[in-house]
Amino acid sequence: TVITGLDNNTIYYLSVYARVNTDWSNSISTNLAPIATGDLIITEVSGEFTDNDQDDDGFIEIKNTSAVTKHLNGVTINYFNGNSDNNIDFTIPLSGTIAPGAYITATRDNSAYNAEYGVDADFNNSQFYFNGGIDRLSITLTDNTEIDAFNDTSDFNNAFSWDSGVAYYRVNESASGALRSSWRAVGFATPKAATAFDAELTTAGTWTTTSNW
């Protein structure tokens, strides 16, 4: 059975029963909590030239940082092409669910993405260009509340310019994704997976220990 009409601004309580002939089991109850700021964050944005080929396989990666499964109905990924007027140019409405700690990705061309990474993206839009400059991406809820963003959230003057030939990894999940300092640019992409930076070595001793490399 498919339950429709749900949104991310309402808490739903569900009870599940099993039936054998005329006998019913005790219920198993759960709730589907609404998505709050910090539950879904952008963890990676890869330009279309990261693999040295303009083949439309750039992507955005989103992680569920909460401890419960989240329904994605009512969540939208937005693409600002050029960011000069801070108006949304293209969107991808999401659906389905995302488990705790799991990732989803959205790309421009799923065939190109699959050819490069060996897996399918969860969503796609042919107008999500991932071609750098001051393009911006964001995640919004049904009521247009913005819960995360890649690049500036206010106006053209505060945007940072990014390179479509690299991937950008989130290195500070607690700081705004609008800040360039929240991202590290590297020459490879790892969609739907944690990066080496998630367990980054931070002391001089560990950096120089041979067994760590």
Side-chain angles (χ1 to χ4, degrees), residues 151 160-162 168-169 171 176-185:
N151 215 344
F160 60 82
S161 181
W162 57 283
Y168 289 80
Y169 292 99
V171 293
S176 170
L179 302 175
R180 177 63 181 86
S181 58
S182 294
W183 302 92
R184 176 175 295 179

Side-chain angles (χ1 to χ4, degrees), residues 52-101:
N52 298 314
D53 188 11
Q54 186 179 0
D55 52 8
D56 301 335
D57 58 3
F59 65 86
I60 178 176
E61 176 189 83
I62 296 171
K63 179 183 179 182
N64 177 2
T65 63
S66 77
V68 297
T69 296
K70 295 292 183 176
H71 275 259
L72 296 173
N73 293 340
V75 180
T76 301
I77 303 174
N78 309 292
Y79 196 98
F80 300 73
N81 189 29
N83 199 33
S84 59
D85 56 11
N86 205 37
N87 290 326
I88 296 170
D89 293 293
F90 313 110
T91 63
I92 299 178
L94 304 187
S95 60
T97 61
I98 181 170

Side-chain angles (χ1 to χ4, degrees), residues 4-204:
T4 61
L6 305 183
D7 69 76
N8 281 306
N9 299 315
T10 304
I11 297 178
Y12 299 93
Y13 297 88
L14 303 178
S15 295
V16 180
Y17 300 81
R19 179 182 177 183
V20 178
N21 297 323
T22 58
D23 296 323
W24 289 88
S25 70
N26 294 327
S27 68
I28 299 174
S29 299
T30 186
N31 69 77
L32 303 176
I35 293 174
T37 300
D39 288 346
L40 299 181
I41 65 167
I42 301 169
T43 47
E44 185 177 352
V45 173
S46 178
E48 64 175 348
F49 286 103
T50 302
D51 59 352
N52 298 314
D53 188 11
Q54 186 179 0
D55 52 8
D56 301 335
D57 58 3
F59 65 86
I60 178 176
E61 176 189 83
I62 296 171
K63 179 183 179 182
N64 177 2
T65 63
S66 77
V68 297
T69 296
K70 295 292 183 176
H71 275 259
L72 296 173
N73 293 340
V75 180
T76 301
I77 303 174
N78 309 292
Y79 196 98
F80 300 73
N81 189 29
N83 199 33
S84 59
D85 56 11
N86 205 37
N87 290 326
I88 296 170
D89 293 293
F90 313 110
T91 63
I92 299 178
L94 304 187
S95 60
T97 61
I98 181 170
Y103 300 87
I104 59 169
T105 56
T107 186
R108 182 179 185 184
D109 185 319
N110 187 58
S111 296
Y113 175 94
N114 182 285
E116 177 65 24
Y117 300 110
V119 294
D120 285 331
D122 300 280
F123 305 94
N124 68 279
N125 183 324
S126 63
Q127 294 175 307
F128 273 49
Y129 299 110
F130 296 104
N131 57 356
I134 52 173
D135 289 6
R136 174 177 176 251
L137 295 109
S138 71
I139 312 170
T140 53
L141 303 180
T142 305
D143 61 359
N144 294 321
T145 297
E146 185 172 282
I147 58 173
D148 199 24
F150 172 79
N151 215 344
D152 174 65
T153 60
S154 56
D155 60 55
F156 171 78
N157 294 321
N158 294 326
F160 60 82
S161 181
W162 57 283
D163 185 351
S164 64
V166 298
Y168 289 80
Y169 292 99
R170 188 76 165 264
V171 293
N172 191 340
E173 294 185 358
S174 62
S176 170
L179 302 175
R180 177 63 181 86
S181 58
S182 294
W183 302 92
R184 176 175 295 179
V186 296
F188 60 91
T190 58
K192 293 191 176 183
T195 71
F197 306 128
D198 291 339
E200 186 176 51
L201 301 174
T202 57
T203 67

